Amino acid sequence: MTMKPEDFRRALEIITRNNRITVSFNTPVDDNYANTYPLLIHESNAAVLKQLHDEGYSLSMTEKGLCVMKY
């Protein structure tokens, strides 16, 4: 799963404006680094999620966290 570098940076800009958020980067999907989630949110508030959604990011819940993608 890949995301354009500029989309990844923009997602980080949105996320880092809030100090009460927990994220992880490049988390393996099935404990194999051949396929990773570039950005997973573990804890957040609704404002961050709404802004990501409004800017066209896809948010999908996985067993490891909320996956942020932009296709």
Side-chain angles (χ1 to χ4, degrees):
M1 299 178 179
T2 59
M3 191 173 9
K4 293 180 185 175
E6 59 270 13
D7 293 331
F8 186 81
R9 282 191 299 273
R10 180 63 186 140
L12 285 179
E13 287 175 13
I14 294 167
I15 289 168
T16 56
R17 288 185 187 147
N18 187 305
N19 61 356
R20 295 191 174 247
I21 190 165
T22 306
V23 299
S24 60
F25 304 98
N26 296 322
T27 305
V29 173
D30 292 318
D31 298 325
N32 181 344
Y33 280 95
N35 191 12
T36 62
Y37 299 115
L39 183 57
L40 285 179
I41 296 176
H42 302 286
E43 292 182 33
S44 181
N45 62 32
V48 171
L49 301 180
K50 181 178 180 340
Q51 187 173 5
L52 286 167
H53 181 266
D54 290 347
E55 294 207 21
Y57 288 88
S58 169
L59 306 173
S60 59
M61 195 64 201
T62 70
E63 61 185 35
K64 295 185 178 188
L66 186 67
C67 179
V68 178
M69 291 296 295
K70 190 163 188 177
Y71 300 97

